[in-house]
Amino acid sequence: MRRVSLSVLGGVVGILFFLPLLWVVTNSLRPGSETFAHLNPLSWSTFFELRPTLRNYSALLSSEIGRATLNSILVSVATVAIGLAVCASAAFGLSAFQFRGRGLVFGVVVLSFLVPFDAIAIPLSTMFRDWHLTNTFTGLVLPGIGNGMAIFLLRQFFLGIPTELVEAGRLDGLNWFDVFRWIYLPLSKPALIGAGLMLFLFQWQSYVWPLLIGTDAKHILGPVALSNLQGQNFADYGLVFAGAVVLTVIPLVVIAGFQRYFVQSVSSSGLK
């Protein structure tokens, strides 16, 4: 009975989390004028639309959110590619080499991901303006490539690689870069994918930084473009919900595709 009760409770909690998402998807298939028409009283029509229309999604093609979504994909992919190279190299240095102050450096890395990024976004944006990096993809990508959480995750995984493999590689004439390339990276596929997912989600859902740095039409990102759909005096909520669905589906597909690798990376790193 206890197992059945917990299963039922888990199902109820899952439904409660799913209902708001279902409501957003349903209202993205309705005209904006009907968004709140079925809330009181609650009924099946609140969460299901019998006459769906794709008008809101077609309208997105003529709005700035289409280009903004492509910009978000470009910036996120670049952040993952460059960020994995930077974070994996830093994690390798903190795990494979013994040097004075290694614990202090690692402590600074751990401290870096405990500080909310929004707390340093404004002074950092002032620095980027002095460097003439506003309204550039470089300015949008740079803050995301050095992620302390990704470095921590990769370092913990690298520490589990047997030292015998490294010693055997060194005896065979491999330099440290070859050890990193041919031993550490091939054995760390789950950790690399997990760290890549962190970098991707950090960049995809960021709002404050793109709002400060990428303000023109060529460099605007998805979350900022979505907020711009709500005018000062009028908002087409059908269009807003359609944009929210598009910006949600893309990371959802990515997470669903790489979920098992992320779980492996977390469990192998000693995190629960």
Side-chain angles (χ1 to χ4, degrees), residues 16 22 51 70 73 112 114 124 135 155 162 172 174 181 194 197 204 247 251:
L16 292 177
L22 177 61
R51 294 174 298 173
L70 294 178
I73 295 175
S112 68
L114 297 178
L124 191 63
N135 292 322
R155 177 187 179 270
D172 287 340
L174 295 180
R181 180 182 178 185
L197 283 176
W204 184 267
L247 294 179

Side-chain angles (χ1 to χ4, degrees), residues 92 96 157-176 178-188:
F92 176 70
F157 195 95
F158 287 168
L159 289 174
I161 294 178
T163 56
E164 291 80 4
L165 292 177
V166 179
E167 294 172 357
R170 294 289 290 168
L171 290 175
D172 287 340
L174 295 180
N175 56 38
W176 282 111
D178 290 333
V179 169
F180 174 59
R181 180 182 178 185
W182 297 111
I183 297 178
Y184 276 77
L185 292 183
L187 294 175
S188 306

